[in-house]
Amino acid sequence: MIHINKKYVALLIVVFALILTVSLTARQRYVDGQNAAALAEAKAQMKLQKEKEEKDALEEYAKKHPDEIFSFSKKENNVLLITLDRAISMYFPYIMEELPETAKSFEGFTFYSQTLSYGSNTIFGTPPIFGGYAYTPEAINERDDELLVDKHNEALRLLPTIFKENGYNVTVCDPPIANYEWNSDLSIFDDLGITTKNFLLAADENGVETSEEDRFQQNYTELQNLSNITNNMGTKGAFITFDNELPHRFKYLQMPKYEYTDSYPNNSGYTNQRSLSNGDIITFSEYMQNLHYHVNAASLRMLGEYFDYLRSLGVYDNTKIIIVADHGYGLNQMYDFHYGASDLMYYNPLLLVKDINAKGDIKYDNTTLMTTADVPVLATEGIIKDAKNPYSGKLLKDEVNKDEVHVLISHKWDIRTYAFDATTYGSYKFFNFKGSDIYDVNNWSVKNIYPTKKGDK
């Protein structure tokens, strides 16, 4: 008779149970893993299907609404860069107090009054806005073996290239004098695969220059109709930039809202002064002062109405907005802001910035020194990490240099002055600003900066 050790049997049972448990657990893990993999695959397929459906829906929507080229995203961050040719910085506070409803529309914005441009005209002022500190007149003159027009185009392409390479939908409208053409040559963007369009035409298809009245109408109508070209259907974040020249066009408008009317406006009940709550007063004693104020006020009013529309679409908060002018204008309204015979109002352009989810009343920053070349950093900061100049490979923030600001002294605004073989702007005198207060004439001097003369015009 076989005697079985009960302890041995118990041990066998325990071992068997353990093996069975491990086996079942392993099998369950395998099954769970298979199920998890299948679930992950199913989710991935569902995501792809949803993205395809969204893309198809957007394409179908775009076919039905071909004019809506500004497609903001409701989910992802957007960047809107608006350049206002010759917008006057010092007018902004007065316009906001005069038009309180417009001021409400500018919720979250910061106004930088201590802002400098690098020249008095578009040809000098545009490259730093779009390209940054590597495209100031001095920096452009240093690259004297390259054509001016090529460096100008490179600056215009910088931000669209950065945002395109980082997965954004990019739209560029009326890039200033692209390829040194008054009707901007959009072909400079062809290789980027972005949306481009000209709304503003300086000449017709036969090369006949557009009248001042027609150019006013183009620019006024563009701002008035921005909502008609805008939707919130974007599936990716958007980078959108457009240029508008209304502050550069001159016309009396109907007060109090500065609206265009077919008949000559009747403003007999209004004075030629504006005031601030702190007691500051500005007087329009000259014809050009009044005209500039009217078109600046109209531009800001219509942009405020557009911002209200962006709110209604649910895309205002998640959109960074920058409004900047390429230069100011000498209007003799800041009599202590002269250096010698030069009216430094030429070099004090409008700069406004609203960051993502910025709230509250307009902030007035009257101490921070800014230049128009800060725009590329402002546009990418908090949006694209370590944004680089695609042409130099340097971080945009590492190219910033405001220890001294060298402002080109030249009023040669016509692109035909430089033809297509010029490599530098051909002016060696610069204003040199060094300090913290641009309104203190003691911080200004004149400096000679000599580029190589090859190709000068």
Side-chain angles (χ1 to χ4, degrees):
M1 185 176 183
I2 300 174
H3 294 280
I4 300 175
N5 188 311
K6 292 182 179 180
K7 290 182 180 180
Y8 179 71
V9 171
L11 181 61
L12 286 175
I13 292 172
V14 170
V15 171
F16 178 76
L18 183 60
I19 293 173
L20 183 60
T21 299
V22 170
S23 176
L24 291 174
T25 300
R27 177 174 177 76
Q28 188 61 46
R29 286 178 178 170
Y30 174 78
V31 171
D32 289 345
Q34 291 290 93
N35 289 341
L39 183 60
E41 177 66 20
K43 287 182 177 179
Q45 291 298 325
M46 289 174 64
K47 182 179 179 182
L48 289 173
Q49 180 63 25
K50 184 178 180 181
E51 290 176 351
K52 182 179 183 304
E53 290 174 355
E54 289 177 347
K55 182 180 179 181
D56 291 345
L58 181 59
E59 290 177 352
E60 186 64 27
Y61 184 90
K63 290 178 183 177
K64 295 179 180 179
H65 305 82
D67 295 330
E68 295 181 6
I69 60 174
F70 293 176
S71 291
F72 290 84
S73 170
K74 295 178 70 174
K75 299 178 181 178
E76 306 296 331
N77 290 335
N78 309 292
V79 176
L80 173 61
L81 171 58
I82 302 168
T83 52
L84 288 179
D85 197 328
R86 199 194 278 187
I88 306 299
S89 178
M90 71 169 293
Y91 288 170
F92 180 77
Y94 292 94
I95 293 170
M96 292 299 104
E97 289 219 16
E98 187 180 0
L99 303 176
E101 290 302 314
T102 297
K104 290 179 182 178
S105 300
F106 276 74
E107 178 192 15
F109 273 92
T110 297
F111 166 62
Y112 293 97
S113 64
Q114 296 268 349
T115 297
L116 291 175
S117 65
Y118 286 87
S120 60
N121 300 103
T122 299
I123 196 167
F124 315 125
T126 291
I129 288 176
F130 290 90
Y133 286 85
Y135 301 87
T136 65
E138 182 183 5
I140 281 179
N141 275 357
E142 288 174 355
R143 295 165 56 184
D144 60 350
D145 58 345
E146 302 173 57
L147 294 176
L148 271 180
V149 63
D150 291 341
K151 290 175 282 190
H152 184 93
N153 292 343
E154 185 177 292
L156 290 177
R157 286 168 48 91
L158 184 138
L159 282 173
T161 299
I162 291 173
F163 278 93
K164 179 68 175 180
E165 290 178 348
N166 281 272
Y168 283 74
N169 284 325
V170 176
T171 302
V172 176
C173 295
D174 298 290
I177 51 176
N179 213 29
Y180 276 12
E181 297 287 344
W182 291 121
N183 285 351
S184 292
D185 182 357
L186 301 176
S187 69
I188 70 167
F189 301 101
D190 281 353
D191 64 311
L192 294 181
I194 64 176
T195 301
T196 58
K197 189 174 180 64
N198 280 336
F199 291 104
L200 312 176
L201 300 177
D204 64 20
E205 57 186 12
N206 298 316
V208 178
E209 291 190 7
T210 307
S211 69
E212 181 63 27
E213 175 63 25
D214 285 342
R215 297 190 75 174
F216 170 85
Q217 292 290 350
Q218 288 178 14
N219 284 276
Y220 190 93
T221 300
E222 180 189 40
L223 292 181
Q224 194 174 41
N225 293 331
L226 285 172
S227 60
N228 295 332
I229 62 172
T230 301
N231 64 49
N232 59 0
M233 298 287 290
T235 57
K236 297 191 291 186
F239 173 73
I240 297 169
T241 181
F242 69 89
D243 181 61
N244 187 271
E245 299 174 357
L246 188 60
H248 203 301
R249 314 268 73 91
F250 315 126
K251 185 180 285 291
Y252 279 121
L253 300 169
Q254 182 58 58
M255 298 170 66
K257 292 188 175 181
Y258 300 93
E259 297 171 297
Y260 171 75
T261 58
D262 291 331
S263 58
Y264 192 81
N266 179 9
N267 293 321
S268 58
Y270 299 92
T271 72
N272 65 343
Q273 288 188 336
R274 305 292 184 275
S275 60
L276 297 178
S277 56
N278 65 4
D280 288 348
I281 295 175
I282 187 172
T283 301
F284 303 104
S285 57
E286 299 176 13
Y287 176 70
M288 289 297 282
Q289 295 170 352
N290 229 328
L291 288 178
H292 274 81
Y293 188 87
H294 276 236
V295 290
N296 272 263
S299 301
L300 293 170
R301 173 183 59 79
M302 287 188 283
L303 284 178
E305 292 168 356
Y306 182 54
F307 298 155
D308 289 340
Y309 184 71
L310 295 182
R311 286 185 181 86
S312 73
L313 294 181
V315 298
Y316 183 79
D317 287 343
N318 66 312
T319 298
K320 176 180 287 195
I321 304 175
I322 300 169
I323 304 171
V324 62
D326 50 353
H327 55 85
Y329 196 64
L331 292 167
N332 295 310
Q333 287 186 283
M334 301 168 71
Y335 295 105
D336 58 344
F337 193 37
H338 286 69
Y339 182 82
S342 297
D343 186 346
L344 299 178
M345 279 184 71
Y346 273 111
Y347 313 110
N348 181 211
L350 180 68
L351 177 61
L352 296 158
V353 181
K354 184 197 79 72
D355 214 334
I356 301 294
N357 293 320
K359 303 290 185 182
D361 295 338
I362 299 167
K363 296 181 177 64
Y364 292 84
D365 187 329
N366 299 315
T367 58
T368 304
L369 175 65
M370 303 293 286
T371 81
T372 53
D374 287 321
V375 168
V377 172
L378 292 170
T380 55
E381 196 171 38
I383 302 290
I384 296 173
K385 185 178 180 181
D386 295 332
K388 290 183 179 180
N389 179 328
Y391 303 102
S392 71
K394 295 180 180 179
L395 294 175
L396 293 179
K397 62 183 180 181
D398 288 346
E399 293 182 329
V400 175
N401 182 3
K402 289 186 277 193
D403 295 336
E404 292 184 7
V405 180
H406 299 153
V407 177
L408 182 65
I409 304 174
S410 175
H411 293 287
K412 296 178 180 179
W413 56 269
D414 194 334
I415 53 178
R416 291 167 289 195
T417 302
Y418 303 93
F420 277 84
D421 61 345
T423 60
T424 75
Y425 292 121
S427 177
Y428 310 143
K429 285 188 177 295
F430 287 74
F431 284 121
N432 178 47
F433 171 80
K434 187 174 183 179
S436 58
D437 183 2
I438 68 172
Y439 306 113
D440 183 349
V441 293
N442 295 314
N443 293 329
W444 292 81
S445 61
V446 173
K447 187 169 188 172
N448 291 326
I449 301 174
Y450 297 97
T452 302
K453 295 185 178 180
K454 179 178 62 178
D456 286 353
K457 291 289 177 182

